[in-house]
Amino acid sequence: TFFHRMPSQVGLAQPLYFAMVVGVVAAFFMWMWSLAGSSLKMFVADDVGEVIRGPFQYFLLFIFSPVTVSVMVFLKAGLIHLMLMLIGGNKLGFEATFRVVAYGVSASILAIFPGCGVILGVLWTLFITIVGLYSIHETEPWKSVVAVLAPMFVCLSFISMGTFLLIMGLK
């Protein structure tokens, strides 16, 4: 219902700000959980530097999260929109796709739950994005699924190939 009623031609700023706020809150909670985990590891770890590096990496993720979220939303929306254009599922233009992707970031708030919260957030984001694209572009469901999953598989393939080539080059 949300995506059927969502305006698709009023600008990118509002959904981008929403995604940034939710992304910053999620990054903050991931940092907090890393601090809680590192305080427990300190009692059993041999290397204190290792205990400190984890929370420091999450702190950097938190500090740069507004920029990271912005870039990722634009990049993800661009790739998904390109796929929609290639398979003929684009009816309302890039702004509609961008709004769906930006509002789909809302599921990352599940990072407030330790352990599986981030994984559940990623899966729920995929679901929200697929349903949102299907709803706003009024396209067939399979086109939304392909538009969301195909860029992920291409990116994972490149990462896997790069990792394989790196490992083979090191031997």
Side-chain angles (χ1 to χ4, degrees):
T1 305
F2 173 79
F3 290 110
H4 281 297
R5 294 180 181 180
M6 181 179 70
S8 62
Q9 302 296 323
V10 293
L12 304 178
Q14 183 179 4
L16 180 60
Y17 294 147
F18 175 82
M20 287 172 55
V21 168
V22 172
V24 167
V25 170
F28 175 77
F29 277 100
M30 288 190 302
W31 176 40
M32 290 297 107
W33 288 126
S34 73
L35 286 172
S38 68
S39 64
L40 295 174
K41 287 180 190 176
M42 196 172 296
F43 293 115
V44 296
D46 294 331
D47 183 15
V48 176
E50 180 182 330
V51 173
I52 294 171
R53 274 192 296 276
F56 183 70
Q57 290 170 351
Y58 280 103
F59 172 72
L60 290 177
L61 179 69
F62 167 65
I63 293 297
F64 293 110
S65 61
V67 174
T68 306
V69 169
S70 300
V71 169
M72 292 308 293
V73 168
F74 273 105
L75 183 63
K76 186 176 174 183
L79 290 173
I80 289 173
H81 191 71
L82 177 63
M83 284 304 301
L84 280 173
M85 288 171 47
L86 291 174
I87 60 176
N90 170 34
K91 289 188 180 179
L92 293 179
F94 176 75
E95 184 177 335
T97 303
F98 180 85
R99 293 175 80 78
V100 168
V101 171
Y103 288 129
V105 171
S106 63
S108 66
I109 200 67
L110 291 173
I112 64 173
F113 300 111
C116 64
V118 174
I119 295 168
L120 290 174
V122 168
L123 294 175
W124 192 245
T125 297
L126 288 174
F127 178 77
I128 289 172
T129 305
I130 290 168
V131 169
L133 290 173
Y134 166 74
S135 298
I136 199 159
H137 285 293
E138 297 176 353
T139 187
E140 299 165 26
W142 72 268
K143 290 182 179 182
S144 296
V145 172
V146 169
V148 171
L149 296 181
M152 288 177 42
F153 287 126
V154 169
C155 289
L156 287 174
S157 297
F158 279 119
I159 291 170
S160 299
M161 185 172 45
T163 303
F164 175 76
L165 292 174
L166 181 65
I167 290 172
M168 294 307 291
L170 293 176
K171 289 186 177 186

